[in-house]
Amino acid sequence: MLEGQQSEYMLFEESSIMPNFCSAYGCSNRGQKANCKEKGISFHHFPLNDKDRLKQWLVNIRRKNFKPTTYHRLCSEHFTNEDFEYQLFTNRRGLKNTAVPTKFCFTTTETPARPRTPYEFESRIVQNDICETEASSRKEKSTQTNDIFNNHLLTEIERLKTENAQLKTDVKMITEYLIQLFENQ
């Protein structure tokens, strides 16, 4: 292979590396951001092999139902300076084996949603008007159907009451007849 082909391969391989995103709630740090590189922000894997420390990390990041994988990371802004150690000869910093993230900014109140304007959502408003019209016509049809059904039920109840009264008189007559038969024997 030629030298030029090797360097193209190396460039391709470097660009295919997965980007780093911070998994902390509300943190927007990414490895590609220029300000992250300027600040020297580094990204660190979750301690998946250290279950006790992993529990501490998960409690501290306060993300409900979050299950980290080998691809999830936290940025260095969530750790104190004491959590880092510098490697000999390379002077790169890494997390100590006891490091637990403690620096987070959680909001206690929800931020209100930006009000929607008719201009931005004109098609959605028209669609909502159509849906409201359809819903009101369905409601009218439903009311008419309910009225018809209620009338039918009332008629059926009256019919059953009449039938019940007739059965009572029939039972009374049969009972009197049986009593007379037994008395005559």
Side-chain angles (χ1 to χ4, degrees):
M1 282 192 168
L2 300 172
E3 278 185 40
Q5 289 176 335
Q6 284 180 337
S7 64
E8 286 176 9
Y9 174 74
M10 296 297 271
L11 287 174
F12 174 74
E13 193 171 37
E14 286 177 16
S15 66
S16 66
I17 294 174
M18 291 288 292
N20 291 320
F21 296 92
C22 184
S23 296
Y25 178 78
C27 185
S28 61
N29 287 334
R30 296 187 327 194
Q32 291 85 3
K33 281 188 172 181
N35 66 342
C36 287
K37 291 179 182 179
E38 289 171 7
K39 289 181 184 178
I41 294 174
S42 53
F43 294 84
H44 306 278
H45 293 276
F46 281 78
L48 299 176
N49 296 329
D50 186 350
K51 299 297 180 193
D52 293 331
R53 194 161 58 115
L54 178 62
K55 280 183 187 177
Q56 290 176 323
W57 281 44
L58 294 175
V59 167
N60 288 0
I61 66 170
R62 296 185 194 176
R63 283 189 60 186
K64 192 175 186 177
N65 299 325
F66 176 69
K67 293 182 176 92
T69 66
T70 55
Y71 301 107
H72 290 101
R73 292 172 175 71
L74 279 182
C75 73
S76 56
E77 294 207 328
H78 303 292
F79 297 92
T80 62
N81 287 337
E82 290 79 32
D83 291 327
F84 293 99
E85 61 186 0
Y86 289 89
Q87 298 172 356
L88 294 175
F89 305 112
T90 62
N91 204 27
R92 292 182 66 187
R93 70 178 182 174
L95 285 177
K96 292 180 181 176
N97 290 338
T98 58
V100 175
T102 54
K103 295 169 57 178
F104 296 97
C105 181
F106 298 110
T107 57
T108 55
T109 58
E110 290 186 23
T111 55
R114 180 176 61 87
R116 295 180 175 179
T117 61
Y119 176 76
E120 292 174 341
F121 298 97
E122 188 173 306
S123 64
R124 199 177 284 175
I125 289 171
V126 170
Q127 189 175 11
N128 285 344
D129 287 343
I130 292 169
C131 290
E132 287 173 11
T133 305
E134 288 174 0
S136 65
S137 69
R138 271 185 275 161
K139 187 175 181 180
E140 288 172 12
K141 287 178 185 176
S142 175
T143 304
Q144 290 171 352
T145 305
N146 285 343
D147 289 343
I148 293 168
F149 184 70
N150 287 340
N151 288 336
H152 174 72
L153 284 178
L154 290 173
T155 307
E156 187 65 18
I157 289 170
E158 289 302 317
R159 187 189 67 76
L160 289 172
K161 282 181 181 178
T162 307
E163 187 178 333
N164 189 27
Q166 183 62 42
L167 287 172
K168 282 182 181 179
T169 56
D170 289 348
V171 167
K172 191 174 184 181
M173 285 177 32
I174 292 172
T175 306
E176 289 174 359
Y177 175 74
L178 289 174
I179 290 173
Q180 283 180 355
L181 273 177
F182 285 121
E183 285 177 353
N184 290 337
Q185 285 183 351

